[in-house]
Amino acid sequence: MLLRTKSIIAALALLSLLSVTLIAHLLSRRGPPAAEWIPSLKGQHVEPCPDKLDWLESLDLTYPIRYAHRDVIINPSPDMKRTSLTKLDKSLFPVFQTIDLTKDPKVELKHCAEPLVLDVPASKKEPTDASHVIFGISTTLKRLDDSITQLLRWLPHTHARLFVIVIESERVDTPEDQEDILAVAADPAQKEALQSKMRGLGMDVTLVEPLGLQDSFSEKYFSLVKIMYDNRNEKTLWTSLLDDDTFFPSVSAIVSMLSKYDPHEKHYIGGLSEDWWSVAHYGMMAFGGAGIFLSEAMAEILANNYQLCKESSHTSAGDIRVLECIILLTDTKLTNERDLHQIDLDGDLSGIYESGRLSLSLHHWKTRGGGGGRGVSLPQMHLVADVCGDCFLQRWQFGNDMVLTNGYSISFYPDGGLKSINLEAAEETWAEPASVEGSFNRGVAHSLAPIRPKLMLEDEKIQYRLIDSAVVKGGVRQSYLHEGVGEHIDSLLEVFWISEKGENPA
């Protein structure tokens, strides 16, 4: 979508008032993801051509590299809605320049461009009020501590409460029998310390003992329903069961999704697996990693019949126990919210992250997504939301040869290749799922369609992947790397996102 003339004039007026250099807002590599307000840039000047790139020293790059960067000033527009793709008839980056900081830390950038102004939907300045939701997780102390980084991206100051069943560890004594488990209770002092730490970070977290220490993991998971219901207050309308690696890009979007339903009616809301084999095998159920949402009316039924449901189920999966209890006691069927993502796919998940769709949840990101058994860092990718709210994973197309997927990748399509590509369809980059005999669903048609064929990397598509993102004075800096092939050197593209008003929307 072309920028309106009025927006361009306003941007130029803003730029004429700016008065300090880019170096002044690039003082540190990383700041707290949502704890510091980004200072106002009004009355300051953004220097498009810095002579020192000292922050690159922390990126472990192999020099020389090809380098280009661009500052982007966001323009929040109250009447604008997030779109899958915004088209701009211009370039994002100037021409590449080869640099080698091992020879000289100071550089003379010869190809620079003035900051680009991009329109984005306006976001709320204060955290979303989610006081009517209780979240629940069952995990170990160590895994919960490791999860703080991702929880910081969505939970603090929302007034949502989180109850966590914690134990020290679960050791499987006999590898052949996954139910032969010896659970070790969490150390009270360590538990209290971790709870205090999380509360000090703005999270309303309560760590609790399991109802039965030697219950199986699936029993502990299911018991969260009773624990959360017994701890409800006058505001509670929804209870949600999560995994410790369930990531919500936008709590505001979760609250908006729940607002479509009456919590006083029986609702069982979740997402199917993207993998049709898993759906065919386990049924039409809410897969736990995507997040399970139970209305107040539904949670009451399950909690009041906890012992009956516990004794009636013998599955090793907690999310299946929830389904079985609902089937036993009600005639309620799953309400499938397809933007809640379990991510049961392997291989390169670029096709999901680059689809332009605003996912309500993402799962398995620690171990899947990067290809080759590697994961991605959603907390790092999501830092840009501190500047532009729901612009995370939003896409901008520049001309006919480049797409920026904010926080994930910058992809070039040689020879104007975008002219023949339907970007509304997700690229099938993931590994082929297991087939279901006799099914017309090739694997993901129910969840990710429309789909288009995978492009050949380095030929039809040249992809730069995010390797670093940092909140620094003045904004959020992103670094996207393309590793050189053959005799070609590595290339680095950097985008520095600047809030027009200098306010952190997270």
Side-chain angles (χ1 to χ4, degrees), residues 136-301:
I137 296 172
S138 179
T139 188
T140 64
L141 272 175
K142 183 181 185 307
R143 285 182 64 94
L144 179 60
D145 195 19
D146 292 342
S147 298
I148 288 178
T149 301
Q150 66 98 353
L151 290 171
L152 275 172
R153 296 307 306 159
W154 60 269
L155 183 60
H157 311 298
T158 61
H159 304 294
R161 293 188 294 156
L162 172 63
F163 283 80
V164 188
I165 294 176
V166 288
I167 58 175
E168 178 62 32
S169 65
E170 281 185 334
R171 185 175 71 250
V172 180
D173 289 341
T174 309
E176 293 79 11
D177 184 358
Q178 295 298 309
E179 287 298 303
D180 186 6
I181 294 174
L182 176 64
V184 180
D187 178 83
Q190 291 182 358
K191 188 171 68 173
E192 177 61 32
L194 182 56
Q195 178 175 281
S196 296
K197 175 182 176 181
M198 297 180 74
R199 288 182 176 179
L201 293 170
M203 293 181 272
D204 188 349
V205 177
T206 302
L207 307 190
V208 299
E209 299 286 341
L211 296 185
L213 179 60
Q214 297 308 326
D215 282 350
S216 67
F217 177 81
S218 68
E219 289 172 328
K220 291 187 181 77
Y221 181 94
F222 177 69
S223 72
L224 282 166
V225 178
K226 178 172 176 56
I227 290 171
M228 288 188 285
Y229 185 77
D230 288 348
N231 285 278
R232 70 193 184 282
N233 60 26
E234 67 280 357
K235 293 184 178 180
T236 304
L237 299 175
W238 296 93
T239 60
S240 175
L241 294 92
L242 312 176
D243 285 359
D244 55 23
D245 60 345
T246 301
F247 189 91
F248 292 137
S250 170
V251 172
S252 176
I254 292 292
V255 169
S256 179
M257 179 270 288
L258 292 176
S259 70
K260 298 184 298 184
Y261 306 101
D262 184 349
H264 304 297
E265 297 179 356
K266 297 189 293 293
H267 287 293
Y268 167 50
I269 301 168
L272 297 171
S273 171
E274 294 79 10
D275 175 20
W276 183 243
W277 183 92
S278 296
V279 177
H281 186 74
Y282 296 109
M284 297 291 289
M285 58 173 278
F287 283 71
I292 300 173
F293 295 86
L294 304 175
S295 63
E296 179 185 35
M298 180 64 78
E300 179 181 16
I301 294 172

Side-chain angles (χ1 to χ4, degrees), residues 205-491:
V205 177
T206 302
L207 307 190
V208 299
E209 299 286 341
L211 296 185
L213 179 60
Q214 297 308 326
D215 282 350
S216 67
F217 177 81
S218 68
E219 289 172 328
K220 291 187 181 77
Y221 181 94
F222 177 69
S223 72
L224 282 166
V225 178
K226 178 172 176 56
I227 290 171
M228 288 188 285
Y229 185 77
D230 288 348
N231 285 278
R232 70 193 184 282
N233 60 26
E234 67 280 357
K235 293 184 178 180
T236 304
L237 299 175
W238 296 93
T239 60
S240 175
L241 294 92
L242 312 176
D243 285 359
D244 55 23
D245 60 345
T246 301
F247 189 91
F248 292 137
S250 170
V251 172
S252 176
I254 292 292
V255 169
S256 179
M257 179 270 288
L258 292 176
S259 70
K260 298 184 298 184
Y261 306 101
D262 184 349
H264 304 297
E265 297 179 356
K266 297 189 293 293
H267 287 293
Y268 167 50
I269 301 168
L272 297 171
S273 171
E274 294 79 10
D275 175 20
W276 183 243
W277 183 92
S278 296
V279 177
H281 186 74
Y282 296 109
M284 297 291 289
M285 58 173 278
F287 283 71
I292 300 173
F293 295 86
L294 304 175
S295 63
E296 179 185 35
M298 180 64 78
E300 179 181 16
I301 294 172
L302 271 60
N304 289 343
N305 293 275
Y306 167 72
Q307 195 62 36
L308 170 64
C309 288
K310 179 181 178 181
E311 295 171 357
S312 300
S313 177
H314 302 285
T315 179
S316 61
D319 46 11
I320 296 179
R321 282 184 178 269
V322 175
L323 170 66
E324 289 179 337
C325 187
I326 291 172
I327 291 174
L328 178 67
L329 301 173
T330 78
D331 59 359
T332 302
K333 302 297 185 292
L334 172 70
T335 298
N336 178 35
E337 286 282 352
R338 60 173 289 180
D339 291 327
L340 294 168
H341 285 295
Q342 170 75 5
I343 312 292
D344 275 338
L345 301 173
D346 294 312
D348 180 4
L349 301 184
S350 294
I352 295 177
Y353 290 114
E354 294 178 339
S355 68
R357 301 163 189 171
L358 178 60
S359 299
L360 291 174
S361 66
L362 294 162
H363 182 231
H364 281 151
W365 50 274
K366 292 183 179 180
T367 56
R368 300 178 182 181
R374 294 178 289 110
V376 297
S377 177
L378 278 180
Q380 185 182 73
M381 291 163 54
H382 191 258
L383 287 177
V384 72
D386 284 3
V387 171
C388 51
D390 288 343
C391 69
F392 172 58
L393 297 183
Q394 188 172 352
R395 300 182 302 176
W396 283 270
Q397 176 181 333
F398 296 88
N400 290 313
D401 62 357
M402 196 197 89
V403 174
L404 163 66
T405 302
N406 195 6
Y408 184 78
S409 69
I410 297 171
S411 295
F412 289 87
Y413 299 81
D415 303 321
L418 285 174
K419 294 179 180 178
S420 59
I421 296 175
N422 175 18
L423 289 177
E424 296 304 318
E427 182 184 356
E428 194 173 4
T429 60
W430 48 84
E432 185 175 357
S435 61
V436 177
E437 185 177 356
S439 174
F440 289 97
N441 188 338
R442 288 185 51 240
V444 298
H446 67 292
S447 57
L448 299 177
I451 301 167
R452 56 186 168 88
K454 181 179 181 179
L455 297 175
M456 185 179 298
L457 290 176
E458 309 304 328
D459 183 10
E460 299 173 295
K461 175 182 177 181
I462 300 172
Q463 185 187 56
Y464 289 65
R465 290 281 292 273
L466 186 83
I467 61 165
D468 188 73
S469 182
V471 175
V472 295
K473 185 177 180 182
V476 174
R477 182 178 60 246
Q478 299 172 331
S479 302
Y480 298 86
L481 180 70
H482 174 261
E483 296 182 357
V485 178
E487 297 180 355
H488 296 284
I489 61 177
D490 295 350
S491 300

Side-chain angles (χ1 to χ4, degrees), residues 37-40 74 125 386-388 499-506:
W37 298 110
I38 295 173
S40 175
I74 67 156
K125 298 178 183 178
D386 284 3
V387 171
C388 51
S499 173
E500 180 190 41
K501 297 181 180 179
E503 295 172 341
N504 187 335

